[in-house]
Amino acid sequence: MPSPSQPESNGGVKKRVSRRRKTAHLKHVPDRLALREEIRDRCYQICEKLDKSRPLSKDEMEKIVRRLLTEMELSESYVGWTMVMMASAFWRDQVSAIPPERRLFLLPHCLKHAEGCPADYDQFGLDCKTCGACSIADYRTQAEELGYRVLVAEGSPIVMKILVSGYVDAVVGVACLNVLEKAFDKILLAGIPCMAVPLHSSDCRNTSVDEQWVFDMVHLPHREPQQKTATYVHLMRAAQDMFEREELTRLIAPQRQTEATAHAKLSELPNLDPIGATEQLAIDFIGRGGKYSRPFTTLAVYDSLTGGHGTSANGAAHVAEYSDAVKRGALAIETFHKASLVHDDIEDDDEYRYGEPTIHRQFGVSTGINLGDYMIGLGYRLVSREVKTLGADVVAKIVDHLAEAHMRLSEGQGAELLWRDSTSKELTPIDALKIYALKTSPAFEAALHCGIALAKTTEEYRDEMRKFARHVGVAFQILNDLKDWLGDSDNKLSAGNDIIGGRPTVLWALALQSLNEDRKAELIQVANAPDLTAHSKIQRVRTLYLEGGVFEAAEQLVEKYRAKAEEIADGIEPEAFRRLLYYLVDSILETTDNHKPTILIPTTTLEFPLAAPTS
């Protein structure tokens, strides 16, 4: 039973009332140490009574925090800071259960003294020198002596990659509230132990922190917790592990590969056997990059419908026993996705994918088309050859869902291409959303249905998953539109690509709907102007989008579809499946306070070369 301090729930997970809003006014830091200590101590008192078998959702935590601040007669402006305290209190026992050598210590570069700092920045953040000029070196030395891995960076997205790769199992960090919200939210949602000490301000020059708190956090002793908290990290790692070269090759079971070509790289393609080159290129591209969210979804759905043991304390051992048939079902989803990316890059003539030149830019359009076709066939083969293991009915269900997703995705892409090549640039928001529902949702829906079929459940969930996937997919694509104006270091490395590529977006449709006739005509003229530089074109379109309130309207649509997805999840049983759907909504539809569009210069994506984890 939940404690009196924890929100009442239905089947363990409270059905949601979506209430997203701007949070900048909720991020004030209490200005007195005594008050900060009082709030922190109250958070620990509350968390001692909470059920820690599953992570608190952000909404649940905010309700507890607001109740606490009301009882203490404090301003709601402390909500953000107090939520960090509450999360740290909730996860303290779980962090303590992880030995220091399996913890990551994340430090902000803004703790340095701006004047006279001798350190340089590299792809991992600040290359800190032990000069004694600031506290960073002191913290780092203490942590490294205890066995921590230390990263000096500002909310680096590489943190999640390090966690999922298996190098560490918990994170302790120091950062301002804005960075903590961006860098730690997804970690906490996944059920990964995490603690943080907020900086006293968001000023990135010579800021300060409660140093004793940092010392106590880093020196947290290693001991077993009273209760283990459910986590998705085991399933995340299982999804990623399938794409390690040796395991990926084993699961695909290449037909053309020889011992000499088993570890060949794309750069060696001209020297490969021509007959085996396509297969080798496919294996390399499938394992090249991505977040593997679709195979994770399939594995997590399968787990949630077969007992939910993969999220338990012994989840790693349980997930390790998954059959190759289950793994190949999840792998097939990613194979289809990678095929669509190769073809989509050709159709849009995109330059970059996963921080590298796209396939057709490296090897030519013809090779790119052929590679996409090959991966489609490979995806079907991964499933069709598991009849003996899964049974004909299960395989037929999976193939049917994959085929339907493939056709609907092609319809959506076809609609986009017809619009792009049309002389008329009229587009209504509803038509843009229809294209999104066809382009983005089917692959996600197929991942859900594949997990359901693999679990061999008697419940089909067909209608519910189609609606859920449509709502999440549409919201995700709108967020992707907004992200296009912020730049994307993972894929498309410059901002405003949708305008340059002439692709139909809901942002464009909203602008046409909201602008007056003169501004609407100007928007169309600017977008089609052949003599304007890309920079000038993007800047002018950006100005018109801002004038039309396009970015705010798009964010409202995201929240509308988020709420619709959560409403579908509310009616799903069993509880483990419902909890997973809530997690997917929160993690896929990750948002920031607002989307301030900027113009970015392309950069190179750099990897984090850590040694292989030790057992």
Side-chain angles (χ1 to χ4, degrees), residues 62 281 506:
E62 183 175 340
L281 187 58
V506 76

Side-chain angles (χ1 to χ4, degrees), residues 436-447:
Y436 287 3
L438 287 170
K439 269 204 65 175
T440 308
S441 304
F444 181 47
E445 182 184 339

Side-chain angles (χ1 to χ4, degrees), residues 83-95:
M83 285 180 70
V84 175
M85 294 297 101
M86 190 67 70
S88 295
F90 182 91
W91 287 101
R92 178 187 173 94
D93 284 350
Q94 310 302 315
V95 172

Side-chain angles (χ1 to χ4, degrees), residues 310-586:
T311 63
S312 67
N314 299 318
H318 180 79
V319 173
E321 298 300 317
Y322 285 174
S323 69
D324 283 349
V326 170
K327 293 179 181 178
R328 288 189 175 111
L331 176 58
I333 300 295
E334 186 72 7
T335 303
F336 281 108
H337 174 59
K338 290 293 177 65
S340 73
L341 293 183
V342 173
H343 285 167
D344 195 50
D345 287 341
I346 293 170
E347 290 160 351
D348 295 337
D349 196 22
D350 284 328
E351 296 182 53
Y352 298 97
R353 177 66 64 182
Y354 305 129
E356 299 180 25
T358 47
I359 289 291
H360 72 283
R361 290 290 181 109
Q362 292 186 70
F363 306 107
V365 171
S366 298
T367 296
I369 293 172
N370 187 63
L371 176 66
D373 291 343
Y374 179 89
M375 287 192 288
I376 291 169
L378 175 59
Y380 282 113
R381 191 186 77 185
L382 285 166
V383 176
S384 66
R385 295 195 174 179
E386 295 295 339
V387 172
K388 288 184 179 179
T389 306
L390 299 175
D393 289 345
V394 171
V395 169
K397 285 180 183 178
I398 295 174
V399 170
D400 180 57
H401 286 302
L402 292 175
E404 185 176 359
H406 191 176
M407 293 173 68
R408 286 165 53 211
L409 186 150
S410 298
E411 289 173 340
Q413 181 70 355
E416 177 178 299
L417 294 173
L418 286 172
W419 187 90
R420 185 191 70 182
D421 298 334
S422 172
T423 56
S424 172
K425 294 304 175 186
E426 294 291 337
L427 183 71
T428 65
I430 190 65
D431 287 336
L433 295 174
K434 286 179 181 177
I435 293 174
Y436 287 3
L438 287 170
K439 269 204 65 175
T440 308
S441 304
F444 181 47
E445 182 184 339
L448 293 166
H449 278 303
C450 188
I452 294 168
L454 289 168
K456 300 182 181 180
T457 177
T458 57
E459 177 62 61
E460 292 288 340
Y461 301 103
R462 193 177 189 99
D463 292 340
E464 296 96 327
M465 290 306 99
R466 169 160 292 193
K467 292 175 184 177
F468 180 81
R470 181 170 67 243
H471 299 325
V472 173
V474 167
F476 172 80
Q477 189 59 51
I478 298 172
L479 282 175
N480 201 51
D481 286 352
L482 292 165
K483 190 176 184 180
D484 183 54
W485 287 88
L486 296 169
D488 178 359
S489 61
D490 292 325
N491 292 307
K492 301 168 183 177
L493 302 178
S494 58
N497 276 325
D498 285 336
I499 286 295
I500 302 304
R503 291 183 282 271
T505 69
V506 76
L507 302 180
W508 177 269
L510 289 168
L512 293 181
Q513 178 179 265
S514 61
L515 294 171
N516 63 36
E517 289 301 318
D518 289 342
R519 286 287 192 261
K520 176 179 170 181
E522 180 184 354
L523 177 64
I524 294 174
Q525 181 181 8
V526 168
N528 291 330
D531 55 336
L532 278 180
T533 65
H535 179 79
S536 298
K537 185 178 291 190
I538 292 170
Q539 289 284 28
R540 187 55 191 153
V541 171
R542 172 186 180 275
T543 299
L544 291 169
Y545 277 7
L546 288 170
E547 182 179 324
V550 166
F551 299 111
E552 292 81 1
E555 288 173 341
Q556 290 174 8
L557 281 175
V558 171
E559 296 313 318
K560 172 185 174 182
Y561 282 98
R562 178 198 293 270
K564 286 177 175 287
E566 290 177 348
E567 186 178 352
I568 297 297
D570 286 344
I572 295 298
E573 298 289 348
E575 179 269 334
F577 191 16
R578 181 167 71 253
R579 177 162 57 88
L580 171 64
L581 295 181
Y582 288 147
Y583 169 72
L584 291 173
V585 171
D586 287 336

Side-chain angles (χ1 to χ4, degrees), residues 18-221:
S18 189
R19 183 170 53 92
R20 303 303 196 284
R21 62 193 180 288
K22 306 297 183 187
T23 58
H25 67 294
L26 305 177
K27 295 179 182 176
H28 293 171
V29 178
D31 57 3
R32 293 182 294 110
L33 175 60
L35 179 57
R36 294 196 295 271
E37 290 178 335
E38 184 181 0
I39 297 173
R40 181 194 61 177
D41 292 345
R42 291 287 295 274
C43 288
Y44 276 100
Q45 291 170 14
I46 290 172
C47 286
E48 286 178 358
K49 303 175 183 178
L50 292 181
D51 173 15
K52 294 188 176 67
S53 63
R54 63 173 180 84
L56 285 177
S57 72
K58 198 170 181 180
D59 287 344
E60 288 172 332
M61 189 178 297
E62 183 175 340
K63 288 178 182 178
I64 297 172
V65 163
R66 286 184 175 277
R67 188 183 307 133
L68 170 61
L69 293 176
T70 298
E71 291 173 357
M72 296 182 69
E73 299 182 347
L74 294 174
S75 167
E76 75 161 354
S77 65
Y78 298 145
V79 163
W81 186 89
T82 308
M83 285 180 70
V84 175
M85 294 297 101
M86 190 67 70
S88 295
F90 182 91
W91 287 101
R92 178 187 173 94
D93 284 350
Q94 310 302 315
V95 172
S96 182
I98 308 299
E101 60 270 20
R102 296 289 299 171
R103 301 177 195 169
L104 176 68
F105 185 29
L106 185 63
L107 279 165
H109 58 69
C110 55
L111 270 176
K112 72 172 186 175
H113 286 286
E115 294 80 16
C117 177
D120 297 319
Y121 291 96
D122 59 19
Q123 65 265 37
F124 316 127
L126 190 71
D127 184 14
C128 183
K129 304 291 191 298
T130 308
C131 63
C134 70
S135 57
I136 292 179
D138 294 336
Y139 293 143
R140 183 168 198 158
T141 299
Q142 293 176 34
E144 288 177 342
E145 287 177 352
L146 291 168
Y148 281 78
R149 294 174 185 259
V150 181
L151 183 65
V152 183
E154 196 63 66
S156 173
I158 206 169
V159 172
M160 197 68 179
K161 182 176 180 179
I162 294 171
L163 282 160
V164 174
S165 296
Y167 299 107
V168 296
D169 297 313
V171 180
V172 298
V174 178
C176 67
L177 289 178
N178 285 329
V179 169
L180 287 174
E181 183 175 58
K182 296 173 185 175
F184 283 63
D185 271 4
K186 185 169 281 192
I187 295 172
L188 292 171
L189 281 171
I192 297 169
C194 184
M195 293 180 68
V197 176
L199 295 170
H200 291 160
S201 75
S202 296
D203 181 6
C204 288
R205 290 175 63 86
N206 302 330
T207 188
S208 58
V209 69
D210 290 312
E211 296 191 2
Q212 185 62 45
W213 290 19
V214 179
F215 179 89
D216 293 342
M217 179 177 68
V218 172
H219 287 80
L220 186 67

